[in-house]
Amino acid sequence: MASIMAAAADTIPSGRGGAVRQQAVVAFAELRNFTRMSEVLQPGKVLQLLDEFYALAGNIMARHGGDVVGMHNDSLIAAFRDGGPAQDSRRAIKS
């Protein structure tokens, strides 16, 4: 897990020219009991739940200065990288 987090922090796409190496704080958010819920909900309800989760969690992360860098299954990954390690850590925790 640590190597995945380090890779995400080190290789964040820039606006031009591909990937750049940057220091960042990476925050993860995921739905609790998602597997159990997805087993009992209709597929359309699962998709609706994920859409709502991604929108809500993404907006919260963005409000605190994070950039969504990935979504996988029931997880959202955001990078905080504009204010230095201490400030980025505080913003990630607040989100």
Side-chain angles (χ1 to χ4, degrees):
M1 180 76 86
S3 63
I4 294 170
M5 291 176 17
D10 286 344
T11 313
I12 298 171
S14 66
R16 292 185 186 169
V20 295
R21 185 173 177 84
Q22 291 183 324
Q23 186 172 15
V25 173
V26 179
F28 296 84
E30 65 179 53
L31 289 170
R32 181 179 233 170
N33 296 322
F34 176 73
T35 301
R36 183 178 304 169
M37 286 187 293
S38 66
E39 291 172 347
V40 297
L41 293 174
Q42 295 295 319
K45 290 290 185 185
V46 172
L47 291 176
Q48 180 182 359
L49 175 66
L50 287 172
D51 286 343
E52 291 174 8
F53 166 70
Y54 290 147
L56 178 64
N59 285 335
I60 291 170
M61 298 284 192
R63 192 167 52 237
H64 291 282
D67 297 314
V68 174
V69 295
M71 292 179 243
H72 182 70
N73 295 333
D74 67 326
S75 298
L76 182 132
I77 306 163
F80 296 79
R81 57 179 181 249
D82 294 329
Q87 183 179 352
D88 289 341
S89 295
R90 284 191 295 274
R91 291 184 305 152
I93 291 168
K94 284 182 180 180
S95 69

